[in-house]
Amino acid sequence: MEPFSRHRRLRKNPVMRDLVRETHVSIDDMIQPLFVKEGIDQKQEVPSMPGVYQFPLTAIVEEVRECVQLGIKAFILFGIPEKKDEQGSQASAEKGIVQQAISLIKTAYPDIIVIADTCLCEFTSHGHCGILKGEVVDNDLSLKRLVKVAVSQARAGADIIAPSNAMDGYVYAIRKGLDEAGFQDIPIMSYAIKFASSFYGPFRDAGESAPAFGDRKTYQMDVANRLEALREAKSDEEEGADFLMVKPALAFLDILRDVRNQTQLPLVAYNVSGEYAMIKAAAQNGWIDEQSLVLETLIGMKRAGADLIISYFAKDVAAYLSEKGV
């Protein structure tokens, strides 16, 4: 008997490696973000996110069609209005950009899943995620506005409400508001753990949502904190969340695993804009193999415990998996 194990026996060729592979990325795991913008008549590429576009209403269904043909079945929708104000009024408007986009998409594809991001930052003139008192975001005033936004999105046809605003108590408030409006069956995908991360920079270009002053560190989480993340996830679950999310994912795989060990709810990893931009930039410079690195990154998120992944790479991944005959 040899005094060591020959682990390489299970790695000797591609078929053997596929046979014993423990973690898989499937197109069924992927959620595609979409940006829809008022006041434009053709899609516009986001400079800091090559391959990601802001779409006019007239082009959004065609983009969804392309994704559906690739096998993508779930989308998360972000809107950029033409007019912004301190209250983010257009976020809950019956004919708001997000509400119109939801209606168009669901009319064309009633069986796909449309997730509505529920926040105010893209709609407020100051770029913060809630209602201001002076230069401070007022948590409880913000909750009242966010409930109206969530109900309007559900009324437009959203399948899932995804509050990203990082207010305390938003799951409880939105759950109560949805139930009272007759939307008891609409689930909430909570951005339960949302760090005040430097990885969000390119998203703020895409969503035109950078704060006009200050930062979001009073309501988003300190990137150094682990136990606080577990408290945040636990309270959102107790308030009625149906999904929990960790955002960003790549630098917080330990948090994904911790939350996976704590909850039985579906767990979502958000593969955020900065993570996307880093890989795209390195690939454009010829420093990395983009396809292999994208898949390795997403496998890491799945291995850490994610059930679902929101990723700007979703269309690319669909093409990769199609090439492999998956």
Side-chain angles (χ1 to χ4, degrees):
M1 181 70 180
E2 295 168 338
F4 57 88
S5 297
R6 292 193 178 272
H7 300 291
R8 292 169 60 180
R9 290 172 183 148
L10 302 184
R11 304 173 192 150
K12 62 184 180 181
N13 59 51
V15 175
M16 181 68 78
R17 292 194 294 273
D18 286 345
L19 185 67
V20 299
R21 172 163 278 211
E22 300 171 21
T23 307
H24 299 268
V25 173
S26 163
I27 196 58
D28 292 335
D29 306 330
M30 305 302 295
I31 299 169
Q32 172 72 47
L34 294 173
F35 296 93
V36 60
K37 181 179 178 179
E38 281 184 317
I40 59 174
D41 56 13
Q42 58 186 354
K43 69 180 186 180
Q44 299 179 345
E45 190 171 28
V46 179
S48 56
M49 298 179 71
V52 173
Y53 296 85
Q54 298 170 325
F55 293 93
L57 276 174
T58 53
I60 197 67
V61 171
E62 178 58 33
E63 176 63 13
V64 170
R65 182 177 294 114
E66 287 185 21
C67 293
V68 169
Q69 289 171 349
L70 288 166
I72 297 169
K73 305 182 185 77
F75 302 83
I76 185 164
L77 192 59
F78 302 91
I80 303 106
E82 205 162 8
K83 295 180 181 179
K84 303 187 179 192
D85 58 35
E86 289 192 357
Q87 304 296 311
S89 303
Q90 286 299 303
S92 58
E94 183 180 350
K95 295 294 184 180
I97 184 67
V98 167
Q99 288 77 5
Q100 290 187 72
I102 292 169
S103 180
L104 284 171
I105 295 168
K106 290 298 292 184
T107 298
Y109 292 97
D111 295 330
I112 67 167
I113 298 297
V114 176
I115 305 163
D117 178 79
T118 305
C119 195
L120 297 179
C121 62
E122 292 129 51
F123 298 88
T124 53
S125 52
H126 47 73
H128 280 282
C129 301
I131 304 300
L132 295 182
K133 246 187 194 177
E135 292 194 352
V136 176
V137 175
D138 186 295
N139 191 89
D140 295 1
L141 281 177
S142 300
L143 291 179
K144 293 178 182 178
R145 276 290 296 129
L146 291 161
V147 169
K148 292 179 181 178
V149 175
V151 170
S152 75
Q153 293 169 336
R155 193 169 284 127
D159 298 287
I160 299 172
I161 297 299
S164 62
N165 52 82
M167 299 299 119
D168 289 334
Y170 67 79
V171 173
Y172 173 79
I174 290 174
R175 179 74 274 154
K176 186 171 182 287
L178 289 172
D179 291 352
E180 289 175 352
F183 296 108
Q184 297 91 339
D185 293 333
I186 300 293
I188 294 175
M189 180 181 287
S190 166
Y191 283 67
I193 299 167
K194 184 176 182 180
F195 289 96
S197 172
S198 298
F199 280 102
Y200 302 151
F203 175 91
R204 291 171 185 170
D205 296 336
E208 300 181 15
S209 58
F213 63 88
D215 54 41
R216 295 174 178 150
K217 292 182 178 180
T218 59
Y219 46 100
Q220 295 179 358
M221 273 192 53
D222 188 327
V223 298
N225 291 356
R226 172 176 169 265
L227 297 180
E228 182 184 4
L230 299 180
R231 295 197 300 271
E232 290 268 5
K234 185 172 184 288
S235 63
D236 280 14
E237 184 166 355
E238 290 171 348
E239 289 174 24
D242 300 282
F243 303 77
L244 298 178
M245 187 190 301
V246 175
K247 179 184 180 184
L250 192 57
F252 301 94
L253 296 177
D254 59 322
I255 305 299
L256 269 170
R257 173 46 56 187
D258 285 340
V259 177
R260 174 75 288 156
N261 291 340
Q262 175 176 289
T263 187
Q264 295 181 31
L265 292 180
L267 182 58
V268 185
Y270 199 141
N271 178 208
V272 299
S273 61
E275 298 165 5
Y276 174 89
M278 286 194 307
I279 290 177
K280 282 291 184 183
Q284 287 179 348
N285 278 287
W287 297 336
I288 58 163
D289 180 294
E290 181 175 335
Q291 177 173 331
S292 62
L293 186 55
V294 168
L295 292 174
E296 184 176 331
T297 298
L298 300 181
I299 285 169
M301 295 171 194
K302 290 293 299 292
R303 192 180 62 248
D307 299 298
L308 304 170
I309 302 172
I310 300 171
S311 179
Y312 304 97
F313 286 115
K315 286 179 74 175
D316 294 331
V317 170
Y320 302 157
L321 297 180
S322 176
E323 290 169 7
K324 289 186 173 185
V326 175

